[in-house]
Amino acid sequence: MQHDMALQALEKPIPALTLTADPLGPVKCSPALAARRLDDLVAFIDRFFMDDLGFTTPRDTARDLTDFFAALPRNPARDAKAGATGDGPNLWLHLTVRRIQPTLCVESGTWVGRSLYTTRVAAPDAAMHAFDITFKRLKFRDPAITLHEQDFSQSDVRCAANDVGFIYFDDHINNGRRIAQAHARGFRHLVFDQCVPAGQVQLFRFPGLPTALMIARREMQPGDTLEWTWRGEHVRYTFDPAHTHGAESLIDLAVPFPSLEPWLGLPPGQGAYVRLKP
Ligand SMILES: C[S@@+](CC[C@H](N)C(=O)[O-])C[C@H]1O[C@@H](n2cnc3c(N)ncnc32)[C@H](O)[C@@H]1O
């Protein structure tokens, strides 16, 4: 029988990887291909910030990406996987902070500090405040970051008129409550972790319900109930309009971060950018 070469798989086993030119993902590419993939990734990120989030100031996104990946191995909390913000959502955090150029950054839900390090790298000169119920597990510390062992709502941290303020909420508290508190303190730019629509609550045990996406999309009506199973435990949430704390009238924009997995191989997480009305 004639052997048809065209039907054979074209990949070849090799004893070891030799291509190291592409720092962006698990697949190593030859230099020209790596450069084209980077251009494509940069264009995708720029389009997202411009078309979906309305940021018009040009940025050197390739530089922002390079900075993120250069700093990543030095994150002292990177090995603490459980409960910490992963590399994929941290990349969106980094890119978003670079777009906003905040002078004041707040994080609520600091745990080991894996995301706190990310924000510090993205905004090295911004004033920073971190909130958690305990800092016993914190692995990244910076004397220039003020630590608060209290709830954000009980602090006097405010965004002054001449500040550009940013808050990363990773504390799984009701997003409507957090939006109302952030707005009352003069903040406009927020990122929420675990910010899913109703159909994805089953990914988590304690998402901050109702999430900013549910509120912005007006997904829930009074009395609507969600039930799901988290690691064998059944959980129920019943929506009450009081749970939004009026956030629906404060949100200008709420957009989930898209996946960059086709370029980077990193799971994106379920983060969302939320812009508040002035
Ligand atoms: C998912 S972890 C945060 C992970 C962190 N962003 C990181 O990358 O390491 C959630 C954190 O929220 C904290 N938390 C719970 N209630 C809080 C509250 N009311 N204010 C601030 N943090 C709170 C928990 O103690 C926990 O450390």
Side-chain angles (χ1 to χ4, degrees), residues 83-85 108-115 132-133 151 170 172 178:
T85 306
S108 182
T110 294
W111 185 233
V112 287
R114 192 164 162 184
S115 53
D132 207 304
I133 49 180
D151 193 83
D170 190 12
H172 312 164
R178 287 310 196 199

Side-chain angles (χ1 to χ4, degrees), residues 80-253:
K81 306 261 187 290
T85 306
D87 291 344
N90 268 330
L91 175 56
W92 276 120
L93 183 62
H94 173 92
L95 293 169
T96 305
V97 168
R98 285 282 168 100
R99 295 278 158 163
I100 295 166
Q101 300 270 292
T103 57
L104 170 64
C105 293
V106 171
E107 180 173 282
S108 182
T110 294
W111 185 233
V112 287
R114 192 164 162 184
S115 53
L116 192 66
Y117 171 87
T118 302
T119 306
R120 177 83 289 175
V121 168
D125 300 322
M128 275 184 81
H129 295 265
F131 291 83
D132 207 304
I133 49 180
T134 172
F135 290 109
K136 285 199 187 103
R137 300 287 300 269
L138 192 59
K139 290 183 163 198
F140 166 64
R141 288 172 189 263
D142 175 339
I145 301 175
T146 309
L147 302 180
H148 303 257
E149 261 188 14
Q150 64 179 157
D151 193 83
F152 170 65
S153 62
Q154 289 155 4
S155 83
D156 57 3
V157 172
R158 302 186 77 83
C159 188
N162 57 348
D163 268 325
V164 179
F166 166 78
I167 309 181
Y168 176 48
F169 284 114
D170 190 12
D171 53 17
H172 312 164
I173 303 289
N174 171 347
N175 290 183
R177 182 187 291 274
R178 287 310 196 199
I179 286 168
Q181 292 166 352
H183 189 266
R185 289 164 178 73
F187 289 88
R188 266 196 89 196
H189 302 282
L190 316 177
V191 166
F192 284 93
D193 187 45
Q194 300 197 351
C195 194
V196 287
Q200 285 183 306
V201 289
Q202 84 288 352
L203 295 176
F204 306 108
R205 168 67 179 84
F206 284 124
L209 297 176
T211 66
L213 287 183
M214 290 175 173
I215 296 170
R217 295 173 181 180
R218 290 170 167 74
E219 263 194 304
M220 307 292 283
Q221 297 293 318
D224 280 353
T225 295
L226 299 167
E227 290 186 348
W228 68 100
T229 302
W230 169 254
R231 295 182 182 166
E233 184 188 359
H234 305 307
V235 190
R236 173 185 294 131
Y237 169 69
T238 302
F239 176 73
D240 181 315
H243 294 172
T244 70
H245 294 264
E248 56 273 36
S249 64
L250 306 175
I251 297 173
D252 185 23
L253 191 73

